C-alpha cells in the first residue's frame, strides 16, 4: 500500500484514501481551448491547466459525496440525462473556466486590477499548496505552482468582476421591482391522504367539513398565532412580489387575496379547487429582508445576462480529443484528522489576507489526503444500489 498525504490551504486538514484504477497520460502543453476574443486576439488554455482544475474539483466532490454515493459515483447517471457524473462535472468545469476567463478579460471595464497585496496572497497560497503536498499527490492532481496561481487568480477576478457588475446593474433596479410582501398561512389539504400501504384515501365529507370549520375559526380569530396553536395547526410563511400577476410557488387566488389585505389583517377562508382551504395573515407589507434577497436575485440575473452577452462575442472552441484524456480515475475520500484544529487556526491568517480578493480564494482547498491503490471494479452491487438510492433521496 502506497500512502501519500495532501494538504491545501483552507478550512481544515482532512485525510483521504485515493483509489487508483489506472492513470492515463496526457500532454499538459497540448491545447485544450482555442479562443478568439472577437477583436482579432487569439488565446489558448492548456490541457494541463484544464486537467488540474477538473481533478481538483473532482477531489472536492469526492471528499463530501463519496461516502454517500459509493465508489461508482463518477460512472453513475446522477442527473437522469443519460450522462455520467464525471461528464456532467467536466462540462461544468469548462463552463466555469469560460466564465472566469471572460470575467478576467472584462476586468478593465470596471477598472479592476489585482493589488500587490492580493497578488502576494495568491502567490503565497499557491506556494503553500505545493509545499504541503507530496510529489505523488501533485502529480495525480496535475498540480503545478503556476496552475494553482492561475486558478486562484481567475477565481479572484471572477469574484471581483461579478460583484462590480452586480453593483452596476443595481442602478436599473427600482424599489418596486423588488418590493416583497410576506404572509403567514395555514393550508387545509382536502385532496386526500395515503394509508400505510401507500394507497390513496379520500377524505369523507365530514372530515372536509371539520377542516372548513377550523379554517373559518382561524379566519375570524383575533389572534392568528394563538388560534393556530390552539387548533394544533402549523403555519408557514411566504413572500411574493407586490402587484405580481404570476407566481410559480403559490396559487394566484391566494396572492390576489393577499393583495387586498393590509399589514396584520387576516383573510377569509380561501378555497383552491382540488387543493383545499387557506387562511393567511399579512406579516409585512414591505419585508425588507425578502426585498433585499429579491434585489440580489435581480442583480444575479443581470450579471448572468451580461455573461451570456460576453460569451456570444467570443469563439470558445474545446478540443474534445484532448478533454477526453482527463479522467477521474482516482478517488479522494476525506476523513477528519487530529491536526484539523491546528490547520483551521493556521489557515485563518491566509484566509484573512485574501478576504478582499474572494471568499473562495483560500477557502476552497485544504485537505490532507492519503492515497491507497486499489481497483474500483470491486465495487459491489450493494454499493451501487445504495449510491442510486441516496441520489434519489437528495
Amino acid at each position: 500500500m502506497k500512502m501519500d498525504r495532501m494538504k491545501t490551504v483552507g478550512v481544515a486538514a482532512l485525510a483521504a484514501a485515493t483509489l487508483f484504477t489506472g492513470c492515463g497520460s496526457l500532454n499538459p502543453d497540448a491545447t485544450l481551448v482555442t479562443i478568439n476574443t472577437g477583436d482579432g486576439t487569439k488565446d489558448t488554455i492548456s490541457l494541463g491547466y484544464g486537467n488540474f482544475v477538473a481533478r481538483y474539483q473532482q477531489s472536492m466532490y469526492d471528499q463530501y459525496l463519496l461516502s454517500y454515493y459509493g465508489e461508482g459515483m463518477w460512472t453513475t447517471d446522477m442527473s437522469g440525462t443519460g450522462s455520467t457524473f464525471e461528464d456532467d462535472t467536466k462540462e461544468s468545469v469548462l463552463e466555469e473556466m469560460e466564465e472566469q476567463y471572460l470575467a478576467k478579460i472584462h476586468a478593465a471595464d470596471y477598472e479592476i486590477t489585482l493589488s500587490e497585496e492580493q497578488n502576494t496572497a495568491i502567490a503565497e497560497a499557491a506556494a503553500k499548496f505545493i509545499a504541503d503536498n507530496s510529489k505523488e499527490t501533485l502529480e495525480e492532481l496535475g498540480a503545478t505552482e503556476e496552475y494553482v496561481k492561475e486558478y486562484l487568480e481567475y477565481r479572484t477576478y471572477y469574484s471581483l468582476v461579478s460583484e462590480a457588475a452586480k453593483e452596476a446593474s443595481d442602478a436599473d433596479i427600482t424599489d418596486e421591482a423588488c418590493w416583497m410582501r410576506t404572509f403567514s398561512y395555514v393550508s387545509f389539504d382536502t385532496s386526500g391522504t395515503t394509508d400505510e400501504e401507500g394507497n390513496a384515501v379520500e377524505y369523507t365529507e365530514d372530515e372536509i367539513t371539520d377542516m372548513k370549520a377550523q379554517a373559518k375559526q382561524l379566519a375570524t380569530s383575533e389572534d392568528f398565532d394563538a388560534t393556530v396553536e390552539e387548533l394544533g395547526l402549523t403555519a408557514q410563511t411566504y413572500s411574493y412580489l407586490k402587484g405580481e400577476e404570476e407566481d410559480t410557488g403559490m396559487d394566484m387566488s391566494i396572492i390576489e387575496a393577499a393583495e387586498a389585505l393590509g399589514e396584520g389583517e387576516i383573510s377569509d377562508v380561501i378555497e383552491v379547487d382540488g387543493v383545499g382551504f387557506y387562511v393567511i395573515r399579512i406579516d409585512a407589507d414591505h419585508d425588507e429582508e425578502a426585498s433585499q434577497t429579491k434585489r440580489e436575485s435581480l442583480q444575479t440575473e443581470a450579471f448572468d445576462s451580461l455573461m451570456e452577452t460576453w460569451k456570444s462575442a467570443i469563439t470558445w472552441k474545446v478540443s474534445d480529443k484532448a478533454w477526453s484524456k482527463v479522467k477521474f480515475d482516482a478517488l479522494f475520500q476525506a476523513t477528519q484528522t487530529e491536526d484539523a484544529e491546528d490547520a483551521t487556526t493556521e489557515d485563518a491568517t491566509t484566509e484573512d489576507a485574501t478576504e478582499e480578493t474572494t471568499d473562495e480564494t483560500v477557502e476552497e482547498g485544504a485537505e490532507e489526503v492519503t492515497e491507497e491503490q486499489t481497483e474500483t471494479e470491486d465495487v459491489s452491487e450493494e454499493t451501487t444500489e445504495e449510491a442510486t438510492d441516496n441520489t434519489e433521496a437528495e
Side-chain angles (χ1 to χ4, degrees):
M1 180 185 299
K2 180 178 69 174
M3 302 301 291
D4 175 31
R5 299 170 70 81
M6 179 183 84
K7 287 185 180 178
T8 64
V9 287
V11 183
L14 302 173
T18 304
L19 314 176
F20 289 92
T21 61
C23 302
S25 60
L26 55 78
N27 176 12
D29 296 325
T31 297
L32 173 61
V33 184
T34 303
I35 308 155
N36 188 326
T37 60
D39 59 358
T41 303
K42 291 186 177 181
D43 202 355
T44 61
I45 293 177
S46 72
L47 177 58
Y49 176 73
N51 175 64
F52 164 69
V53 176
R55 295 305 304 279
Y56 186 72
Q57 181 64 66
Q58 179 231 329
S59 74
M60 294 296 99
Y61 278 131
D62 278 353
Q63 293 175 38
Y64 296 105
L65 300 180
L66 197 59
S67 61
Y68 293 101
Y69 301 134
E71 296 173 5
M73 177 174 77
W74 292 108
T75 57
T76 300
D77 178 7
M78 295 279 198
S79 60
T81 59
S83 61
T84 66
F85 188 34
E86 176 178 319
D87 290 336
D88 291 341
T89 301
K90 287 174 62 178
E91 182 178 351
S92 175
V93 166
L94 285 175
E95 183 177 357
E96 289 178 3
M97 285 171 56
E98 182 179 10
E99 293 187 353
Q100 289 168 3
Y101 178 89
L102 285 165
K104 182 177 178 180
I105 67 173
H106 282 279
D109 298 352
Y110 302 93
E111 300 182 347
I112 291 174
T113 56
L114 299 189
S115 67
E116 182 179 347
E117 181 182 5
Q118 289 167 329
N119 282 318
T120 298
I122 288 172
E124 290 177 350
K128 180 171 174 56
F129 181 98
I130 298 300
D132 284 347
N133 286 286
S134 69
K135 177 182 177 181
E136 291 78 11
T137 299
L138 294 173
E139 287 180 352
E140 181 58 37
L141 287 174
T144 68
E145 190 165 345
E146 279 305 307
Y147 288 160
V148 178
K149 285 172 62 178
E150 189 174 4
Y151 175 72
L152 295 176
E153 183 179 284
Y154 270 127
R155 293 187 67 86
T156 302
Y157 269 113
Y158 182 86
S159 178
L160 293 172
V161 171
S162 62
E163 182 180 355
K166 289 174 184 178
E167 288 180 359
S169 71
D170 192 64
D172 297 323
I173 300 174
T174 64
D175 289 341
E176 290 73 18
C178 50
W179 186 300
M180 300 296 286
R181 306 183 86 222
T182 297
F183 59 80
S184 292
Y185 70 94
V186 174
S187 61
F188 300 83
D189 184 1
T190 62
S191 62
T193 184
T194 56
D195 60 21
E196 294 179 356
E197 286 74 36
N199 300 312
V201 178
E202 293 185 358
Y203 287 117
T204 65
E205 288 297 325
D206 288 342
E207 287 175 324
I208 294 176
T209 298
D210 287 342
M211 288 186 200
K212 190 167 187 177
Q214 285 190 325
K216 285 183 177 180
Q217 183 177 343
L218 181 58
T220 57
S221 67
E222 294 185 0
D223 190 325
F224 184 89
D225 294 328
T227 304
V228 167
E229 184 176 356
E230 176 187 337
L231 295 173
L233 303 172
T234 300
Q236 302 178 68
T237 59
Y238 189 79
S239 299
Y240 74 96
L241 181 65
K242 180 179 181 180
E244 70 181 4
E245 299 179 353
E246 183 178 356
D247 193 287
T248 58
M250 188 66 68
D251 190 275
M252 278 305 298
S253 62
I254 299 172
I255 300 298
E256 290 167 2
E259 284 287 271
L261 299 173
E263 190 168 306
E265 293 183 338
I266 301 173
S267 72
D268 294 330
V269 176
I270 307 165
E271 186 168 355
V272 179
D273 291 341
V275 178
F277 310 115
Y278 284 77
V279 179
I280 69 174
R281 179 197 60 198
I282 302 299
D283 297 330
D285 175 61
H286 185 199
D287 188 324
E288 293 186 4
E289 183 176 348
S291 297
Q292 179 59 30
T293 299
K294 178 65 174 179
R295 180 177 292 276
E296 291 170 1
S297 175
L298 293 175
Q299 291 173 348
T300 298
E301 288 179 14
F303 179 62
D304 290 343
S305 178
L306 177 61
M307 181 61 72
E308 291 304 312
T309 300
W310 289 347
K311 287 181 181 180
S312 66
I314 70 167
T315 300
W316 175 274
K317 186 175 182 180
V318 177
S319 168
D320 293 333
K321 182 178 180 180
W323 196 226
S324 68
K325 295 182 181 298
V326 176
K327 301 180 184 298
F328 296 171
D329 51 9
L331 305 177
F332 303 84
Q333 187 174 18
T335 57
Q336 194 73 26
T337 63
E338 293 180 0
D339 58 341
E341 184 176 346
D342 292 339
T344 303
T345 304
E346 196 176 286
D347 292 329
T349 303
T350 308
E351 207 165 343
D352 290 342
T354 59
E355 183 176 358
E356 291 187 1
T357 60
T358 172
D359 291 340
E360 296 175 322
T361 295
V362 181
E363 176 183 37
E364 279 247 321
E367 297 80 25
E368 209 175 88
V369 177
T370 62
E371 294 183 359
E372 175 184 343
Q373 187 163 358
T374 185
E375 295 293 327
T376 57
E377 289 145 318
D378 294 332
V379 178
S380 65
E381 290 183 9
E382 181 178 350
T383 302
T384 305
E385 288 174 4
E386 181 180 355
T388 303
D389 291 341
N390 281 326
T391 303
E392 292 174 352
E394 288 293 304

